[in-house]
Amino acid sequence: DGGITQSPKYLFRKEGQNVTLSCEQNLNHDAMYWYRQDPGQGLRLIYYSQIVNDFQKGDIAEGYSVSREKKESFPLTVTSAQKNPTAFYLCASTMTGGNQPQHFGDGTRLSIL
Amino acid sequence: QKEVEQDPGPLSVPEGAIVSLNCTYSNSAFQYFMWYRQYSRKGPELLMYTYSSGNKEDGRFTAQVDKSSKYISLFIRDSQPSDSATYLCAMYTGTASKLTFGTGTRLQVTL
């Protein structure tokens, strides 16, 4: 089955710790995205990548980092610089060109210990 | 003012009712419009994707776009308890990669 797999489903972070959220897709999509979802605020874009080895900051990139070494993988690291990391993190992907809609994984819930 | 406004609800309706969910937007450059359904602790699932003004129907769902009024709607006919979820509208200009989302409307369909 084609789709987007996010892991882990739940993640806990200690003070001063960096944590990495995994996102893998087998849809052969070119573009991948990371969003943060907080209650009452909708989805906000953290980073996106339209091609391997290239990525751009979204609206709330501070305290986060990404890499795109393979087409199917787009991991997100939440660094210790992100002071309010508790949120639901969603990964999405789409084909570039043709204005295709984005498809989402089932998210990772990150909490502070 | 947010670019996309959506009433957060909650909206509670009896089973079998017709549901109307709405979003307004301020950026006239938005050309592509989506509705996503999100169950609790799950990712958003694409329901409808439209480009032009007018109506698009898929089963019990109808998406309506009025670009002159900057207003989009999602209608759900014969609503079921399984339709209970948060519904997110989303849109983009087509020239950028960034989707702009509404905050979501929580819908509860009761027996």
Side-chain angles (χ1 to χ4, degrees):
Chain A
D1 268 332
I4 301 170
T5 301
Q6 290 188 241
S7 61
K9 194 170 178 65
Y10 299 97
L11 188 57
F12 297 91
R13 195 192 88 169
K14 295 179 182 178
E15 290 287 338
Q17 187 181 40
N18 293 353
V19 291
T20 298
L21 285 60
S22 170
C23 178
E24 303 275 332
Q25 55 97 1
N26 60 3
L27 300 167
N28 200 33
H29 285 171
D30 301 303
M32 297 185 74
Y33 308 80
W34 275 105
Y35 292 91
R36 171 181 171 139
Q37 188 174 32
D38 295 280
Q41 294 197 49
L43 276 70
R44 293 182 289 167
L45 183 64
I46 304 172
Y47 269 98
Y48 65 101
S49 167
Q50 293 184 288
I51 196 168
V52 174
N53 292 323
D54 189 42
F55 47 83
Q56 286 77 41
K57 293 181 179 180
D59 299 319
I60 55 164
E62 186 174 349
Y64 300 98
S65 66
V66 293
S67 63
R68 187 84 187 278
E69 296 176 3
K70 299 186 294 182
K71 185 176 182 178
E72 57 271 22
S73 179
F74 191 40
L76 173 75
T77 296
V78 183
T79 74
S80 56
Q82 172 49 246
K83 296 308 179 189
N84 183 25
T86 298
F88 191 45
Y89 290 86
L90 288 159
C91 178
S93 70
T94 188
M95 294 296 291
T96 52
N99 300 305
Q100 297 299 310
Q102 294 178 17
H103 298 270
F104 287 83
D106 272 342
T108 293
R109 168 78 58 184
L110 176 61
S111 303
I112 295 296
L113 278 178
Chain B
Q1 185 187 2
K2 293 179 181 176
E3 276 191 292
V4 179
E5 298 278 358
Q6 186 175 9
D7 187 331
L11 177 62
S12 183
V13 301
E15 183 179 9
I18 297 174
V19 176
S20 172
L21 303 165
N22 311 295
C23 288
T24 58
Y25 61 95
S26 57
N27 186 351
S28 58
F30 286 136
Q31 296 186 59
Y32 300 87
F33 305 91
M34 283 138 275
W35 284 96
Y36 289 87
R37 177 175 63 195
Q38 185 177 24
Y39 292 113
S40 181
R41 291 185 284 276
K42 291 287 194 177
E45 169 194 3
L46 181 68
L47 280 178
M48 301 290 281
Y49 177 54
T50 58
Y51 166 67
S52 57
S53 283
N55 293 354
K56 180 178 179 180
E57 190 173 317
D58 185 359
R60 295 185 297 113
F61 299 93
T62 299
Q64 189 175 79
V65 174
D66 182 349
K67 290 185 179 179
S68 62
S69 301
K70 299 191 185 70
Y71 189 87
I72 66 171
S73 299
L74 178 71
F75 298 96
I76 308 174
R77 289 183 298 281
D78 187 25
S79 56
Q80 304 293 311
S82 58
D83 294 327
S84 298
T86 296
Y87 290 80
L88 300 159
C89 65
M91 52 198 76
Y92 66 103
T93 64
T95 57
S97 299
K98 193 177 99 167
L99 266 180
T100 301
F101 284 85
T103 53
T105 299
R106 190 157 63 90
L107 172 67
Q108 180 76 32
V109 180
T110 58
L111 289 168

